[in-house]
Amino acid sequence: MTTSAETAVHNGKLFIHTVGCQMNELDSELVVAALRKHGYELTADVADADTVLFNTCSVREHAEHKIYSALGRLKYSKRKRPDQVIGVMGCMAQKDQKLIFQKAPHVDLVVGTGQLSEIPLLIDNARENRERQMAVSLARRDATRQKVADSFESYDPLRDPEMRHSAFQAYVRIMIGCDKFCTYCVVPMTRGPEQSRSPRHIVQEVQQLAAEGVKEVTLLGQTVNSYRHTEDGREYRLSDLIASFHDTPGLERIKFVTNYPRDMTDDLLQAVRDLPKVAHYLHVPAQSGCDEMLKRMKRGYTVEHYREMMHRIHETVPDCSVSSDFIVGFCGETDAAHEKSMELIREFRFKNSFIFKYSARTGTKADAIMLDDVPEETKRRRNNEMLDLQNEISEEDNAARIGREYDILVEGPSKSAVKAGDDDSIPQTQLSGRTRCDRIVVFDGNRRLTGSTTRVRIDDCTATTLIGTIVTRELQHTADGGLPILG
Ligand code: SAH
Ligand code: SF4
Ligand code: F3S
């Protein structure tokens, strides 16, 4: 039998560029794994590839601009290489659809977040027939919730260990979509209705990953703590789901992102407290510290609700670190409203905050009915002020950790080691890992410690990083059973 992969003429080189959130990183990982099975190999050089994919994000205009510019740069190279297939997948594909072909006529393929399993076939079709291919889900306003939900398929094929960015860390999707409809946000349109995956499938996936050597899983959902699924007559909340795979042998750490403040229930906090593998870390975006803004954003809570949630977190899990997201310059945000967000950061001293300038998005309620009236200059100033404040707090809180010791799950050579051209034939390097509270720690050690837990004393810090020294030298055996090495 001849497969279409064999008949389609391609040099087997695939270039993929991914932007956006962890959900996109996971999607790219899975799509590349599927394409490998069809004979593709990854290349880091776009000029070398005859299949080029962009996995895109629409959450802010800037992210879209960058993709359109990257597409623009390929226009001329494609004239010289008409056999090249260029595809746009992910959130921008679902949002812009045919507009992508209009803006970038040399694109062959537009594939939404709900059709990723079709990519290998669509690439073959595009190459064989030289015809544009488009596969997207239904728009939310165009059909019933159920029909729209059915048109978004959660893409979770069998995992390919070779494709993970780390041999011992993996993302696991537990939900797709979002039904919160915050007025500024495009995600309910690009990812479709909120749907929780079956606990049975998730548990199987975690067990498979752990059997392949994965020690840390990060569960993904737009509002991950809204997870709910009824199976075999039993309702599973996120706390039940975590409990049902927590004892998987080999698994050491469990994280979950991103949390929605209103769904931070006591059962979940108790699970974080009682289940030893769960990280003491919660990412719960506040978005604003001003009730009027929160109402305009339709976040569904007030500052007082958020405060009450923070108190419950600290009461139940006293050493839990919390990080947040903020939007500055949302429609109608005054200096006084901005000051309230600054006050919230001072009050809760987040581990870190992701701060974004409001970007009006077509298709959202804010774009339809509110005025994007904060000048860009003001947005930039507020963004910088907030960053400065958060950095100051992060640095102070990191400095308070100097002299303490932590068990660190080692992730591998640090970013600076990699940047400086880390040479993997030399065992000693600067390593990076995280505390149970998700704080990043760098220290010198043997790269073979990657994936193990090592005790580190903190000597110094910056706003984003703790800097330390290994205190217990773990005795390890080399892979070939040879001499023990010292970390
Ligand atoms: N599901 C997550 C967030 C997804 S988007 C949650 O609800 O927390 C990630 C972050 O991007 C959001 O938390 C928000 O701070 C920011 N964001 C979303 N839409 C935006 C917009 N239109 N302009 C600027 N920032 C935005
Ligand atoms: Fe967007 Fe709000 Fe849903 Fe988060 S909860 S994805 S910010 S609509
Ligand atoms: Fe962006 Fe889509 Fe994620 S819009 S933030 S890639 S869900």
Side-chain angles (χ1 to χ4, degrees):
M1 201 180 89
T2 318
T3 66
S4 54
E6 281 159 357
T7 53
V9 186
H10 64 83
N11 72 358
K13 299 278 176 68
L14 165 72
F15 174 88
I16 187 163
H17 179 65
T18 305
V19 294
C21 62
Q22 291 107 324
M23 215 41 119
N24 264 15
E25 283 178 41
L26 175 59
D27 285 339
S28 288
E29 179 183 323
L30 299 174
V31 164
V32 172
L35 287 172
R36 274 184 198 278
K37 294 204 174 88
H38 284 73
Y40 289 86
E41 268 307 314
L42 270 186
T43 172
D45 180 6
V46 67
D48 193 28
D50 65 9
T51 306
V52 179
L53 291 177
F54 291 92
N55 193 4
T56 58
C57 172
S58 289
V59 82
R60 284 169 290 276
E61 197 180 11
H62 182 62
E64 294 189 342
H65 271 323
K66 284 216 301 220
I67 296 295
Y68 279 117
S69 316
L71 287 172
R73 285 194 292 275
L74 287 182
K75 193 164 156 188
Y76 299 98
S77 65
K78 174 126 186 215
R79 278 192 196 149
K80 287 190 219 133
R81 286 186 67 170
D83 58 316
Q84 195 172 46
V85 169
I86 301 176
V88 175
M89 57 184 264
C91 288
M92 199 176 99
Q94 178 61 36
K95 175 174 157 283
D96 285 1
Q97 305 190 356
K98 281 190 199 135
L99 185 67
I100 297 176
F101 293 134
Q102 283 162 26
K103 284 187 167 178
H106 53 300
V107 167
D108 303 283
L109 203 69
V110 168
V111 188
T113 56
Q115 285 72 28
L116 301 181
S117 64
E118 297 172 35
I119 284 186
L121 183 69
L122 293 170
I123 293 177
D124 283 353
N125 287 349
R127 183 163 277 122
E128 279 167 26
N129 311 329
R130 297 316 313 176
E131 261 174 21
R132 283 175 177 166
Q133 308 288 315
M134 186 167 90
V136 289
S137 299
L138 294 171
R140 294 202 63 147
R141 60 178 177 283
D142 287 351
T144 60
R145 186 185 184 286
Q146 193 53 50
K147 282 203 175 123
V148 179
D150 291 345
S151 76
F152 279 88
E153 179 201 344
S154 181
Y155 182 54
D156 305 284
L158 284 178
R159 311 288 297 236
D160 179 341
E162 270 182 45
M163 248 324 285
R164 270 196 296 281
H165 65 282
S166 147
F168 74 94
Q169 294 171 294
Y171 293 128
V172 174
R173 194 188 328 268
I174 68 164
M175 297 171 76
I176 60 169
C178 181
D179 283 344
K180 302 292 192 279
F181 286 99
C182 303
T183 54
Y184 51 81
C185 185
V186 83
V187 172
M189 276 67 84
T190 63
R191 293 271 168 184
E194 184 178 302
Q195 301 180 72
S196 296
R197 282 182 72 209
S198 136
R200 194 180 306 123
H201 292 164
I202 296 166
V203 171
Q204 274 167 3
E205 198 172 328
V206 172
Q207 285 167 344
Q208 186 202 335
L209 288 166
E212 288 166 3
V214 165
K215 296 190 171 172
E216 177 186 283
V217 291
T218 303
L219 310 180
L220 298 183
Q222 293 303 335
T223 55
V224 73
N225 56 341
S226 313
Y227 179 88
R228 271 211 171 4
H229 198 284
T230 303
E231 194 165 76
D232 305 329
R234 175 177 170 202
E235 188 181 65
Y236 287 79
R237 300 162 297 180
L238 179 57
S239 57
D240 304 310
L241 178 70
I242 294 175
S244 60
F245 67 72
H246 178 269
D247 293 339
T248 304
L251 190 64
E252 287 181 19
R253 196 168 277 177
I254 301 163
K255 301 190 210 176
F256 49 90
V257 287
T258 300
N259 292 283
Y260 184 66
R262 272 331 285 270
D263 291 332
M264 193 58 82
T265 49
D266 287 338
D267 59 291
L268 182 59
L269 294 177
Q270 283 151 13
V272 174
R273 179 192 63 198
D274 298 337
L275 298 173
K277 295 179 183 176
V278 181
H280 283 186
Y281 162 63
L282 296 167
H283 181 205
V284 208
Q287 311 296 1
S288 171
C290 166
D291 282 341
E292 179 55 30
M293 286 298 114
L294 289 172
K295 202 165 156 196
R296 287 177 145 240
M297 290 175 171
K298 199 170 149 293
R299 283 291 286 177
Y301 53 85
T302 60
V303 172
E304 197 42 44
H305 285 132
Y306 194 86
R307 182 172 290 120
E308 182 272 331
M309 175 203 73
M310 287 297 280
H311 286 157
R312 276 189 301 113
I313 292 175
H314 289 135
E315 248 169 46
T316 318
V317 194
D319 70 340
C320 194
S321 68
V322 177
S323 62
S324 183
D325 292 359
F326 287 92
I327 296 177
V328 295
F330 185 57
C331 311
E333 189 189 62
T334 58
D335 277 337
H338 168 64
E339 188 45 44
K340 288 182 183 167
S341 293
M342 300 281 280
E343 223 11 81
L344 196 84
I345 295 181
R346 286 187 198 103
E347 180 176 351
F348 297 122
R349 303 185 70 84
F350 298 104
K351 173 175 79 81
N352 62 297
S353 291
F354 300 93
I355 300 161
F356 307 103
K357 291 181 286 176
Y358 171 60
S359 166
R361 311 280 53 221
T362 314
T364 62
K365 191 148 182 207
D367 186 56
I369 64 167
M370 294 177 209
L371 211 55
D372 180 13
D373 56 356
V374 178
E376 182 58 29
E377 184 47 39
T378 311
K379 286 181 185 170
R380 199 174 313 135
R381 176 175 52 77
R382 290 181 187 163
N383 184 70
N384 290 341
E385 272 177 29
M386 201 177 261
L387 261 178
D388 287 347
L389 172 65
Q390 178 62 58
N391 279 342
E392 199 181 302
I393 289 172
S394 300
E395 194 166 350
E396 279 171 16
D397 287 357
N398 276 348
R401 290 174 164 77
I402 293 174
R404 294 196 210 162
E405 289 180 11
Y406 294 91
D407 287 326
I408 306 301
L409 185 54
V410 186
E411 296 183 357
S414 70
K415 270 193 195 157
S416 6
V418 172
K419 223 173 172 180
D422 182 55
D423 175 355
D424 60 14
S425 66
I426 304 169
Q428 207 70 6
T429 186
Q430 187 187 56
L431 295 168
S432 164
R434 281 171 201 259
T435 65
R436 190 178 182 191
C437 292
D438 205 55
R439 290 193 159 79
I440 299 171
V441 185
V442 298
F443 48 94
D444 290 338
N446 192 306
R447 65 182 68 246
R448 287 212 177 105
L449 289 174
T450 300
S452 71
T453 300
T454 301
R455 194 133 183 104
V456 172
R457 187 192 57 244
I458 308 304
D459 309 317
D460 199 358
C461 73
T462 67
T464 52
T465 313
L466 297 167
I467 302 156
T469 318
I470 294 179
V471 286
T472 52
R473 298 194 140 203
E474 281 188 26
L475 218 50
Q476 294 211 333
H477 291 274
T478 54
D480 59 3
L483 289 171
I485 51 157
L486 289 176

